[in-house]
Amino acid sequence: MPWQQACCQRCALPLPQPAQQCGRCLNAPPPFSHALAPLIYRFPVDSLIPAFKYHGQTSIGRLLGQLLAEAAADWLQQDIAPCPDLLLPVPMHRKRQAQRGYNQACELARDIARRTQLRCRPELLERTRSTLPQQGLDAKARRQNLRGAFSCPRPEHLQGKHLALIDDVMTTGVTLSEASQTLLKAGAASVQVWCVARTP
C-alpha cells in the first residue's frame, strides 16, 4: 500500500519531508486546522476507492475504514490535533445518494466511530444544493461548483465543538474547505479532516 511517509500536517499533501504547513497552506491556509490521510492516491488505492465508491464493494469500504481508524488512533495519541467531539461525514445531495444507494463518507465515518468510540453525527451537515461531480473540474471550477452547497440544520449542536470531517479522498481540498467553512460559521471551535487518501 502507498503509505504516506511525509506530508503537510495542515492539508496532508505528500512532501519530501514532514512539515507543519506546505507552501500552499502558508500562502492560503485552508479553514480546517489539520488533515490526516494515511495513504497516497495511487495504485492500488486508486482502484480500491472507486470500487467501494461506485460499485458497492462494501468489504473494501470496511478495510479502508479500518485503515483510517487505525491511523486516526495513532494521530490522536500523538496530540497533533484536538480529539474531535464529533465525526461528520461529507454529505451527498439526497438525489445523488438515492441513485447510489449509500454515501461512502458516511460508511467510513460510522466504521471509524465503532472502532474509536467517537460519535458520528451525519445529520449535522447537509448538502443543500445538487452540484456537478467534482471529478474532471479544475480548482476554480470546483470552488464555483460548491459555493453555498452545504448547510448546518442544527447549529446549536456544533457550538464550541472540535470536529473531524470524514471523506474518502482529498484532491484539491475544495469540498473539504467549503464544508469546513460552513461548520466554522455555524459555531464549531475547529475542524480537522480525515481522509483515506490524498492525491499527490
Side-chain angles (χ1 to χ4, degrees):
M1 297 289 273
W3 297 102
Q4 285 262 38
Q5 300 301 319
C7 65
C8 170
Q9 286 187 6
R10 186 75 183 255
C11 75
L13 185 72
L15 296 172
Q17 57 189 16
Q20 288 190 339
Q21 296 196 68
C22 65
R24 188 182 302 168
C25 288
L26 286 169
N27 289 330
F32 49 85
S33 62
H34 297 81
L36 168 68
L39 295 162
I40 298 173
Y41 192 70
R42 62 175 185 233
F43 183 83
V45 178
D46 58 359
S47 298
L48 293 173
I49 288 178
F52 165 49
K53 189 171 181 174
Y54 301 116
H55 303 294
Q57 295 191 24
T58 53
S59 59
I60 292 174
R62 287 191 294 274
L63 167 65
L64 298 174
Q66 178 183 342
L67 295 176
L68 184 50
E70 290 171 355
D74 290 343
W75 167 274
L76 294 174
Q77 284 182 349
Q78 295 174 51
D79 288 327
I80 293 170
C83 182
D85 300 300
L86 302 171
L87 305 179
L88 274 67
V90 172
M92 295 173 69
H93 191 266
R94 60 184 179 276
K95 288 182 182 176
R96 187 167 298 159
Q97 186 164 334
Q99 290 170 349
R100 188 177 297 173
Y102 62 96
N103 175 356
Q104 75 282 350
C106 197
E107 298 298 313
L108 290 169
R110 286 179 176 145
D111 200 34
I112 294 163
R114 280 194 298 271
R115 295 172 187 277
T116 61
Q117 308 305 309
L118 296 169
R119 294 176 64 204
C120 178
R121 297 292 303 274
E123 76 281 5
L124 297 181
L125 181 64
E126 291 182 351
R127 192 179 292 237
T128 51
R129 189 166 58 78
S130 185
T131 57
L132 295 170
Q134 292 286 86
Q135 198 171 14
L137 299 178
D138 63 25
K140 183 178 179 182
R142 284 173 182 241
R143 283 192 296 273
Q144 291 172 341
N145 188 38
L146 284 171
R147 194 161 289 130
F150 298 102
S151 71
C152 299
R154 299 164 72 184
E156 65 275 12
H157 293 277
L158 300 172
Q159 302 303 306
K161 293 282 196 287
H162 297 287
L163 309 175
L165 196 56
I166 312 297
D167 207 358
D168 52 352
V169 181
M170 188 192 313
T171 304
T172 62
V174 169
T175 300
L176 293 156
S177 290
E178 187 69 26
S180 297
Q181 193 68 50
T182 301
L183 293 167
L184 292 167
K185 284 180 180 176
S190 71
V191 180
Q192 56 190 285
V193 168
W194 295 357
C195 294
V196 174
R198 179 70 157 95
T199 56

